[in-house]
Amino acid sequence: MDNNVTTPATLIGVPLNLGANNLGIEMGPNAYRYQGFVEKLQRAGLDITDAGNVFCDERYKVARGNNPKLHYLNEIVRISNDTAQMVHSAVDNGRKAIVLGGDHTTCLGAVSGASAAVNGDIGLIYFDAHGDMNTHETTLTGNIHGMQLASLMGFGASELCQVHASTVKVQPANVLHIGGSDWDKAELDLIRTKKIPAYTMQDILTTSLGALLPMIQDLQNRVKYTWVSLDLDAIDAQYAPAAGMPNLRGLLYREIKMLAEYIGAHCNVLGVDVVEYNPLEDTGHKTALLATELVASFFNKQFSWYTDYLSRNPQ
């Protein structure tokens, strides 16, 4: 890793909390900023321009809509289109994109914009304890934060699939889902019938990470660019206590850190979205610091408490 080579990046906040009922995560983007997210990544070698937040109105002001299978559909589509435009613009200007959520529906706009900017030549590495591959036909809740990955692959409601462009954003074969432990039957059926690559927590526990690394490399070999979507609930709650849905059986620090470093070293990462951070539940900024460290690693940069200490205490 070479922190001396500066990488231009645009930071975009999406304080979205309409995808589910996890109140508090809308504070995530600004909480990262208040905790020095930009300054820390600047010291790690990312030249960050903060583009501010996509406008997200307060939840109580937003109409839920009449479709019980697609809660807050119109506003989520509007926010997703605005997010996509900002990401598209950043990529067009030769910059990496860092998108901070908000709930995981943030990913829908982020990846849609990135995909359009590179004409669909993109793969998606998706860290999540959940599948997020339901559609309006299979959802058990009507919460759209369980549908965005399916929508990016072209499955489900047309309004979600056609955010920013009518094309499929990521081909199913170019998705790699990592860390899943809580699945709905419809999601498992979709993975099986569409042959969507997935490496579950059961795979990790029974096979280790050895078989996953070639899957990451194979994905990068098929596409020019890679996007990383990180739901903090993929990480064990002892390291990410402020995830929107804390996970008691998630990835350990050494596992997620190694994977982030491997991706940064072997993939052409175009952008990253980090979602589901609730600062009200954090302990000593532990979750935010880990997220900052992982973002740096995904871009092949180095940030940790130790490197941060050294940069702030030069000889």
Side-chain angles (χ1 to χ4, degrees):
M1 299 182 185
D2 186 357
N3 287 5
N4 293 319
V5 178
T6 301
T7 300
T10 296
L11 175 65
I12 301 164
V14 187
L16 170 61
N17 70 348
L18 301 176
N21 297 313
N22 296 337
L23 299 183
I25 55 176
E26 70 278 4
M27 295 184 285
N30 285 341
Y32 281 116
R33 292 182 174 103
Y34 296 150
Q35 295 174 44
F37 182 87
V38 171
E39 294 79 7
K40 289 165 184 172
L41 291 181
Q42 295 273 25
R43 291 195 291 269
L46 287 165
D47 178 17
I48 297 179
T49 297
D50 190 343
N53 289 343
V54 173
F55 174 72
C56 300
D57 211 344
E58 296 179 73
R59 185 185 179 98
Y60 77 91
K61 296 181 180 178
V62 179
R64 185 172 181 174
N66 298 321
N67 190 337
K69 298 290 189 179
L70 292 164
H71 299 161
Y72 300 103
L73 173 64
N74 291 341
E75 187 66 0
I76 287 174
V77 168
R78 195 273 302 167
I79 292 168
S80 296
N81 276 312
D82 289 351
T83 302
Q85 186 56 55
M86 292 181 72
V87 171
H88 194 154
S89 177
V91 174
D92 277 350
N93 286 311
R95 307 181 68 85
K96 307 292 188 180
I98 302 171
V99 182
L100 300 176
D103 67 50
H104 212 161
T105 51
T106 297
C107 176
L108 177 60
V111 176
S112 294
S115 176
V118 297
N119 298 313
D121 195 0
I122 195 169
L124 174 59
I125 298 176
Y126 197 92
F127 289 95
D128 202 310
H130 310 92
D132 295 349
M133 289 184 249
N134 275 292
T135 69
H136 63 295
E137 296 176 327
T138 65
T139 180
L140 302 175
T141 64
N143 292 333
I144 292 176
H145 84 153
M147 305 181 199
Q148 65 274 351
L149 182 51
S151 301
L152 288 168
M153 294 185 289
F155 307 122
S158 60
E159 296 95 331
L160 299 174
C161 293
Q162 295 178 11
V163 163
H164 194 60
S166 60
T167 56
V168 172
K169 309 310 187 299
V170 185
Q171 296 299 322
N174 293 335
V175 169
L176 177 54
H177 190 292
I178 299 174
S181 56
D182 297 309
W183 303 91
D184 296 331
K185 182 180 182 300
E187 296 172 322
L188 294 174
D189 290 343
L190 189 66
I191 288 173
R192 184 182 67 256
T193 58
K194 301 302 181 182
K195 297 181 172 58
I196 301 167
Y199 205 79
T200 68
M201 280 305 301
Q202 184 175 6
D203 294 324
I204 291 169
L205 293 173
T206 59
T207 312
S208 81
L209 296 176
L212 176 57
L213 303 185
M215 295 174 70
I216 294 172
Q217 189 62 66
D218 288 345
L219 172 60
Q220 182 59 71
N221 290 343
R222 291 194 299 274
V223 296
K224 186 173 182 180
Y225 301 99
T226 300
W227 186 278
V228 180
S229 183
L230 174 63
D231 188 327
L232 292 170
D233 74 17
I235 305 169
D236 196 275
Q238 64 183 307
Y239 305 108
M245 301 175 71
N247 183 2
L248 297 177
R249 52 177 177 165
L251 293 162
L252 302 180
Y253 170 80
R254 63 185 181 185
E255 295 166 344
I256 187 63
K257 176 64 171 176
M258 185 277 286
L259 289 172
E261 289 183 342
Y262 187 89
I263 291 167
H266 293 84
C267 298
N268 186 11
V269 176
L270 187 65
V272 174
D273 67 81
V274 182
V275 300
E276 303 283 352
Y277 173 53
N278 183 350
L280 298 177
E281 301 297 329
D282 214 351
T283 303
H285 308 311
K286 178 188 292 188
T287 310
L289 283 169
L290 176 57
T292 306
E293 181 175 352
L294 295 176
V295 169
S297 295
F298 285 132
F299 290 116
N300 203 29
K301 303 295 183 183
Q302 189 171 13
F303 171 83
S304 68
W305 71 268
Y306 182 66
T307 60
D308 191 47
Y309 169 81
L310 291 178
S311 68
R312 289 184 289 105
N313 294 273
Q315 184 174 0

